[in-house]
PDB file of all heavy atoms in Angstrom:
ATOM      1  N   GLU A  28      96.545  11.762 -24.816  1.00  0.00           N
ATOM      2  CA  GLU A  28      97.318  10.821 -25.616  1.00  0.00           C
ATOM      3  C   GLU A  28      96.728   9.406 -25.530  1.00  0.00           C
ATOM      4  O   GLU A  28      96.672   8.723 -26.567  1.00  0.00           O
ATOM      5  CB  GLU A  28      98.768  10.808 -25.062  1.00  0.00           C
ATOM      6  CG  GLU A  28      99.708  10.025 -25.908  1.00  0.00           C
ATOM      7  CD  GLU A  28     100.215  10.761 -27.105  1.00  0.00           C
ATOM      8  OE1 GLU A  28     100.146  12.002 -27.125  1.00  0.00           O
ATOM      9  OE2 GLU A  28     100.568  10.114 -28.087  1.00  0.00           O
ATOM     10  N   ALA A  29      96.309   8.995 -24.387  1.00  0.00           N
ATOM     11  CA  ALA A  29      95.666   7.685 -24.220  1.00  0.00           C
ATOM     12  C   ALA A  29      94.387   7.612 -25.025  1.00  0.00           C
ATOM     13  O   ALA A  29      94.080   6.631 -25.679  1.00  0.00           O
ATOM     14  CB  ALA A  29      95.449   7.404 -22.774  1.00  0.00           C
ATOM     15  N   LEU A  30      93.600   8.657 -24.963  1.00  0.00           N
ATOM     16  CA  LEU A  30      92.288   8.716 -25.713  1.00  0.00           C
ATOM     17  C   LEU A  30      92.554   8.672 -27.244  1.00  0.00           C
ATOM     18  O   LEU A  30      91.886   7.861 -27.932  1.00  0.00           O
ATOM     19  CB  LEU A  30      91.538   9.995 -25.340  1.00  0.00           C
ATOM     20  CG  LEU A  30      90.207  10.148 -26.066  1.00  0.00           C
ATOM     21  CD1 LEU A  30      89.263   9.074 -25.623  1.00  0.00           C
ATOM     22  CD2 LEU A  30      89.660  11.524 -25.749  1.00  0.00           C
ATOM     23  N   LEU A  31      93.518   9.447 -27.728  1.00  0.00           N
ATOM     24  CA  LEU A  31      93.777   9.406 -29.139  1.00  0.00           C
ATOM     25  C   LEU A  31      94.414   8.065 -29.568  1.00  0.00           C
ATOM     26  O   LEU A  31      94.099   7.565 -30.668  1.00  0.00           O
ATOM     27  CB  LEU A  31      94.759  10.546 -29.504  1.00  0.00           C
ATOM     28  CG  LEU A  31      94.172  11.942 -29.532  1.00  0.00           C
ATOM     29  CD1 LEU A  31      95.206  12.983 -29.738  1.00  0.00           C
ATOM     30  CD2 LEU A  31      93.104  12.040 -30.597  1.00  0.00           C
ATOM     31  N   SER A  32      95.147   7.422 -28.691  1.00  0.00           N
ATOM     32  CA  SER A  32      95.664   6.112 -29.024  1.00  0.00           C
ATOM     33  C   SER A  32      94.578   5.064 -29.158  1.00  0.00           C
ATOM     34  O   SER A  32      94.550   4.260 -30.064  1.00  0.00           O
ATOM     35  CB  SER A  32      96.687   5.684 -27.990  1.00  0.00           C
ATOM     36  OG  SER A  32      97.209   4.426 -28.248  1.00  0.00           O
ATOM     37  N   ARG A  33      93.641   5.121 -28.240  1.00  0.00           N
ATOM     38  CA  ARG A  33      92.521   4.183 -28.261  1.00  0.00           C
ATOM     39  C   ARG A  33      91.602   4.462 -29.483  1.00  0.00           C
ATOM     40  O   ARG A  33      91.109   3.515 -30.076  1.00  0.00           O
ATOM     41  CB  ARG A  33      91.696   4.285 -26.966  1.00  0.00           C
ATOM     42  CG  ARG A  33      92.380   3.935 -25.734  1.00  0.00           C
ATOM     43  CD  ARG A  33      92.742   2.433 -25.705  1.00  0.00           C
ATOM     44  NE  ARG A  33      93.421   2.091 -24.468  1.00  0.00           N
ATOM     45  CZ  ARG A  33      94.668   1.661 -24.398  1.00  0.00           C
ATOM     46  NH1 ARG A  33      95.388   1.501 -25.468  1.00  0.00           N
ATOM     47  NH2 ARG A  33      95.193   1.349 -23.255  1.00  0.00           N
ATOM     48  N   LEU A  34      91.418   5.764 -29.782  1.00  0.00           N
ATOM     49  CA  LEU A  34      90.594   6.114 -30.940  1.00  0.00           C
ATOM     50  C   LEU A  34      91.245   5.608 -32.246  1.00  0.00           C
ATOM     51  O   LEU A  34      90.578   5.073 -33.127  1.00  0.00           O
ATOM     52  CB  LEU A  34      90.471   7.630 -31.026  1.00  0.00           C
ATOM     53  CG  LEU A  34      89.607   8.192 -32.151  1.00  0.00           C
ATOM     54  CD1 LEU A  34      88.196   7.724 -32.039  1.00  0.00           C
ATOM     55  CD2 LEU A  34      89.710   9.677 -32.143  1.00  0.00           C
ATOM     56  N   THR A  35      92.580   5.653 -32.322  1.00  0.00           N
ATOM     57  CA  THR A  35      93.306   5.156 -33.488  1.00  0.00           C
ATOM     58  C   THR A  35      93.165   3.663 -33.574  1.00  0.00           C
ATOM     59  O   THR A  35      92.978   3.132 -34.720  1.00  0.00           O
ATOM     60  CB  THR A  35      94.740   5.589 -33.432  1.00  0.00           C
ATOM     61  OG1 THR A  35      94.846   6.983 -33.261  1.00  0.00           O
ATOM     62  CG2 THR A  35      95.502   5.183 -34.681  1.00  0.00           C
ATOM     63  N   CYS A  36      93.299   2.952 -32.498  1.00  0.00           N
ATOM     64  CA  CYS A  36      93.106   1.469 -32.516  1.00  0.00           C
ATOM     65  C   CYS A  36      91.673   1.130 -32.927  1.00  0.00           C
ATOM     66  O   CYS A  36      91.486   0.180 -33.750  1.00  0.00           O
ATOM     67  CB  CYS A  36      93.425   0.918 -31.158  1.00  0.00           C
ATOM     68  SG  CYS A  36      95.209   0.884 -30.782  1.00  0.00           S
ATOM     69  N   ALA A  37      90.705   1.862 -32.457  1.00  0.00           N
ATOM     70  CA  ALA A  37      89.316   1.632 -32.855  1.00  0.00           C
ATOM     71  C   ALA A  37      89.123   1.920 -34.367  1.00  0.00           C
ATOM     72  O   ALA A  37      88.417   1.150 -35.041  1.00  0.00           O
ATOM     73  CB  ALA A  37      88.390   2.497 -32.054  1.00  0.00           C
ATOM     74  N   LEU A  38      89.750   2.947 -34.877  1.00  0.00           N
ATOM     75  CA  LEU A  38      89.689   3.227 -36.288  1.00  0.00           C
ATOM     76  C   LEU A  38      90.307   2.136 -37.147  1.00  0.00           C
ATOM     77  O   LEU A  38      89.659   1.654 -38.104  1.00  0.00           O
ATOM     78  CB  LEU A  38      90.413   4.543 -36.618  1.00  0.00           C
ATOM     79  CG  LEU A  38      90.569   4.914 -38.066  1.00  0.00           C
ATOM     80  CD1 LEU A  38      89.247   5.294 -38.644  1.00  0.00           C
ATOM     81  CD2 LEU A  38      91.556   6.090 -38.224  1.00  0.00           C
ATOM     82  N   LEU A  39      91.453   1.600 -36.738  1.00  0.00           N
ATOM     83  CA  LEU A  39      92.110   0.505 -37.464  1.00  0.00           C
ATOM     84  C   LEU A  39      91.251  -0.774 -37.393  1.00  0.00           C
ATOM     85  O   LEU A  39      91.060  -1.456 -38.378  1.00  0.00           O
ATOM     86  CB  LEU A  39      93.501   0.237 -36.915  1.00  0.00           C
ATOM     87  CG  LEU A  39      94.541   1.224 -37.233  1.00  0.00           C
ATOM     88  CD1 LEU A  39      95.831   0.937 -36.513  1.00  0.00           C
ATOM     89  CD2 LEU A  39      94.801   1.298 -38.719  1.00  0.00           C
ATOM     90  N   ALA A  40      90.678  -1.044 -36.220  1.00  0.00           N
ATOM     91  CA  ALA A  40      89.831  -2.204 -36.059  1.00  0.00           C
ATOM     92  C   ALA A  40      88.524  -2.056 -36.897  1.00  0.00           C
ATOM     93  O   ALA A  40      88.101  -3.059 -37.542  1.00  0.00           O
ATOM     94  CB  ALA A  40      89.469  -2.425 -34.607  1.00  0.00           C
ATOM     95  N   GLY A  41      88.012  -0.865 -36.957  1.00  0.00           N
ATOM     96  CA  GLY A  41      86.784  -0.664 -37.772  1.00  0.00           C
ATOM     97  C   GLY A  41      87.088  -0.804 -39.246  1.00  0.00           C
ATOM     98  O   GLY A  41      86.247  -1.412 -39.961  1.00  0.00           O
ATOM     99  N   LEU A  42      88.221  -0.303 -39.698  1.00  0.00           N
ATOM    100  CA  LEU A  42      88.539  -0.428 -41.118  1.00  0.00           C
ATOM    101  C   LEU A  42      88.746  -1.913 -41.474  1.00  0.00           C
ATOM    102  O   LEU A  42      88.320  -2.410 -42.547  1.00  0.00           O
ATOM    103  CB  LEU A  42      89.754   0.361 -41.458  1.00  0.00           C
ATOM    104  CG  LEU A  42      89.531   1.902 -41.473  1.00  0.00           C
ATOM    105  CD1 LEU A  42      90.925   2.605 -41.617  1.00  0.00           C
ATOM    106  CD2 LEU A  42      88.603   2.329 -42.527  1.00  0.00           C
ATOM    107  N   ALA A  43      89.425  -2.663 -40.563  1.00  0.00           N
ATOM    108  CA  ALA A  43      89.638  -4.089 -40.857  1.00  0.00           C
ATOM    109  C   ALA A  43      88.310  -4.819 -40.843  1.00  0.00           C
ATOM    110  O   ALA A  43      88.135  -5.723 -41.695  1.00  0.00           O
ATOM    111  CB  ALA A  43      90.583  -4.672 -39.767  1.00  0.00           C
ATOM    112  N   LEU A  44      87.416  -4.475 -39.961  1.00  0.00           N
ATOM    113  CA  LEU A  44      86.092  -5.129 -39.914  1.00  0.00           C
ATOM    114  C   LEU A  44      85.330  -4.892 -41.159  1.00  0.00           C
ATOM    115  O   LEU A  44      84.691  -5.763 -41.698  1.00  0.00           O
ATOM    116  CB  LEU A  44      85.329  -4.698 -38.609  1.00  0.00           C
ATOM    117  CG  LEU A  44      83.990  -5.329 -38.437  1.00  0.00           C
ATOM    118  CD1 LEU A  44      84.119  -6.828 -38.192  1.00  0.00           C
ATOM    119  CD2 LEU A  44      83.235  -4.661 -37.313  1.00  0.00           C
ATOM    120  N   ILE A  45      85.318  -3.626 -41.582  1.00  0.00           N
ATOM    121  CA  ILE A  45      84.599  -3.273 -42.824  1.00  0.00           C
ATOM    122  C   ILE A  45      85.117  -4.035 -44.009  1.00  0.00           C
ATOM    123  O   ILE A  45      84.409  -4.584 -44.826  1.00  0.00           O
ATOM    124  CB  ILE A  45      84.664  -1.745 -43.063  1.00  0.00           C
ATOM    125  CG1 ILE A  45      83.843  -1.032 -42.038  1.00  0.00           C
ATOM    126  CG2 ILE A  45      84.275  -1.422 -44.468  1.00  0.00           C
ATOM    127  CD1 ILE A  45      83.991   0.446 -42.064  1.00  0.00           C
ATOM    128  N   ALA A  46      86.449  -4.116 -44.097  1.00  0.00           N
ATOM    129  CA  ALA A  46      87.107  -4.868 -45.254  1.00  0.00           C
ATOM    130  C   ALA A  46      86.701  -6.370 -45.147  1.00  0.00           C
ATOM    131  O   ALA A  46      86.398  -6.985 -46.158  1.00  0.00           O
ATOM    132  CB  ALA A  46      88.600  -4.683 -45.198  1.00  0.00           C
ATOM    133  N   TYR A  47      86.776  -6.912 -43.913  1.00  0.00           N
ATOM    134  CA  TYR A  47      86.436  -8.387 -43.795  1.00  0.00           C
ATOM    135  C   TYR A  47      84.981  -8.655 -44.116  1.00  0.00           C
ATOM    136  O   TYR A  47      84.660  -9.577 -44.858  1.00  0.00           O
ATOM    137  CB  TYR A  47      86.735  -8.802 -42.344  1.00  0.00           C
ATOM    138  CG  TYR A  47      86.275 -10.215 -42.079  1.00  0.00           C
ATOM    139  CD1 TYR A  47      86.963 -11.317 -42.566  1.00  0.00           C
ATOM    140  CD2 TYR A  47      85.126 -10.430 -41.324  1.00  0.00           C
ATOM    141  CE1 TYR A  47      86.500 -12.576 -42.304  1.00  0.00           C
ATOM    142  CE2 TYR A  47      84.645 -11.708 -41.067  1.00  0.00           C
ATOM    143  CZ  TYR A  47      85.345 -12.800 -41.533  1.00  0.00           C
ATOM    144  OH  TYR A  47      84.885 -14.042 -41.298  1.00  0.00           O
ATOM    145  N   LEU A  48      84.074  -7.819 -43.583  1.00  0.00           N
ATOM    146  CA  LEU A  48      82.672  -8.043 -43.810  1.00  0.00           C
ATOM    147  C   LEU A  48      82.286  -7.834 -45.283  1.00  0.00           C
ATOM    148  O   LEU A  48      81.459  -8.584 -45.823  1.00  0.00           O
ATOM    149  CB  LEU A  48      81.826  -7.167 -42.880  1.00  0.00           C
ATOM    150  CG  LEU A  48      81.863  -7.528 -41.416  1.00  0.00           C
ATOM    151  CD1 LEU A  48      81.032  -6.476 -40.622  1.00  0.00           C
ATOM    152  CD2 LEU A  48      81.341  -8.933 -41.181  1.00  0.00           C
ATOM    153  N   SER A  49      82.820  -6.786 -45.899  1.00  0.00           N
ATOM    154  CA  SER A  49      82.497  -6.554 -47.286  1.00  0.00           C
ATOM    155  C   SER A  49      83.018  -7.666 -48.208  1.00  0.00           C
ATOM    156  O   SER A  49      82.360  -8.130 -49.138  1.00  0.00           O
ATOM    157  CB  SER A  49      83.017  -5.211 -47.763  1.00  0.00           C
ATOM    158  OG  SER A  49      84.407  -5.205 -47.774  1.00  0.00           O
ATOM    159  N   TRP A  50      84.230  -8.161 -47.896  1.00  0.00           N
ATOM    160  CA  TRP A  50      84.803  -9.253 -48.695  1.00  0.00           C
ATOM    161  C   TRP A  50      84.013 -10.526 -48.464  1.00  0.00           C
ATOM    162  O   TRP A  50      83.781 -11.286 -49.441  1.00  0.00           O
ATOM    163  CB  TRP A  50      86.296  -9.478 -48.357  1.00  0.00           C
ATOM    164  CG  TRP A  50      86.909 -10.459 -49.261  1.00  0.00           C
ATOM    165  CD1 TRP A  50      87.106 -11.814 -49.070  1.00  0.00           C
ATOM    166  CD2 TRP A  50      87.463 -10.177 -50.538  1.00  0.00           C
ATOM    167  NE1 TRP A  50      87.751 -12.336 -50.120  1.00  0.00           N
ATOM    168  CE2 TRP A  50      87.981 -11.377 -51.055  1.00  0.00           C
ATOM    169  CE3 TRP A  50      87.554  -9.032 -51.341  1.00  0.00           C
ATOM    170  CZ2 TRP A  50      88.577 -11.453 -52.334  1.00  0.00           C
ATOM    171  CZ3 TRP A  50      88.144  -9.133 -52.555  1.00  0.00           C
ATOM    172  CH2 TRP A  50      88.668 -10.308 -53.054  1.00  0.00           C
ATOM    173  N   SER A  51      83.570 -10.829 -47.241  1.00  0.00           N
ATOM    174  CA  SER A  51      82.800 -12.043 -47.014  1.00  0.00           C
ATOM    175  C   SER A  51      81.403 -11.947 -47.603  1.00  0.00           C
ATOM    176  O   SER A  51      80.798 -12.944 -47.948  1.00  0.00           O
ATOM    177  CB  SER A  51      82.709 -12.329 -45.493  1.00  0.00           C
ATOM    178  OG  SER A  51      81.996 -11.351 -44.827  1.00  0.00           O
ATOM    179  N   PHE A  52      80.863 -10.729 -47.774  1.00  0.00           N
ATOM    180  CA  PHE A  52      79.560 -10.579 -48.357  1.00  0.00           C
ATOM    181  C   PHE A  52      79.679 -10.763 -49.867  1.00  0.00           C
ATOM    182  O   PHE A  52      78.884 -11.531 -50.440  1.00  0.00           O
ATOM    183  CB  PHE A  52      78.991  -9.188 -48.016  1.00  0.00           C
ATOM    184  CG  PHE A  52      77.714  -8.905 -48.690  1.00  0.00           C
ATOM    185  CD1 PHE A  52      76.551  -9.514 -48.288  1.00  0.00           C
ATOM    186  CD2 PHE A  52      77.633  -7.985 -49.702  1.00  0.00           C
ATOM    187  CE1 PHE A  52      75.333  -9.260 -48.880  1.00  0.00           C
ATOM    188  CE2 PHE A  52      76.423  -7.718 -50.366  1.00  0.00           C
ATOM    189  CZ  PHE A  52      75.290  -8.334 -49.929  1.00  0.00           C
ATOM    190  N   SER A  53      80.559 -10.068 -50.524  1.00  0.00           N
ATOM    191  CA  SER A  53      80.723 -10.173 -51.965  1.00  0.00           C
ATOM    192  C   SER A  53      82.074  -9.640 -52.416  1.00  0.00           C
ATOM    193  O   SER A  53      82.290  -8.425 -52.412  1.00  0.00           O
ATOM    194  CB  SER A  53      79.617  -9.408 -52.708  1.00  0.00           C
ATOM    195  OG  SER A  53      79.864  -9.407 -54.083  1.00  0.00           O
ATOM    196  N   PRO A  54      82.985 -10.514 -52.819  1.00  0.00           N
ATOM    197  CA  PRO A  54      84.266 -10.065 -53.263  1.00  0.00           C
ATOM    198  C   PRO A  54      84.218  -9.132 -54.490  1.00  0.00           C
ATOM    199  O   PRO A  54      84.955  -8.151 -54.616  1.00  0.00           O
ATOM    200  CB  PRO A  54      85.060 -11.299 -53.586  1.00  0.00           C
ATOM    201  CG  PRO A  54      84.424 -12.367 -52.775  1.00  0.00           C
ATOM    202  CD  PRO A  54      82.958 -11.996 -52.703  1.00  0.00           C
ATOM    203  N   ARG A  55      83.282  -9.420 -55.428  1.00  0.00           N
ATOM    204  CA  ARG A  55      83.145  -8.581 -56.609  1.00  0.00           C
ATOM    205  C   ARG A  55      82.721  -7.170 -56.259  1.00  0.00           C
ATOM    206  O   ARG A  55      83.199  -6.208 -56.808  1.00  0.00           O
ATOM    207  CB  ARG A  55      82.133  -9.227 -57.585  1.00  0.00           C
ATOM    208  CG  ARG A  55      82.662 -10.464 -58.273  1.00  0.00           C
ATOM    209  CD  ARG A  55      81.685 -10.991 -59.203  1.00  0.00           C
ATOM    210  NE  ARG A  55      82.201 -12.230 -59.807  1.00  0.00           N
ATOM    211  CZ  ARG A  55      81.496 -13.034 -60.507  1.00  0.00           C
ATOM    212  NH1 ARG A  55      80.179 -12.767 -60.736  1.00  0.00           N
ATOM    213  NH2 ARG A  55      81.982 -14.145 -61.006  1.00  0.00           N
TER     214      ARG A  55
END
Side-chain angles (χ1 to χ4, degrees):
E28 188 79 25
L30 178 66
L31 286 173
S32 179
R33 298 292 182 245
L34 181 64
T35 305
C36 286
L38 174 69
L39 288 173
L42 290 173
L44 181 66
I45 288 170
Y47 172 75
L48 290 177
S49 66
W50 188 264
S51 65
F52 176 71
S53 173
R55 288 181 183 168

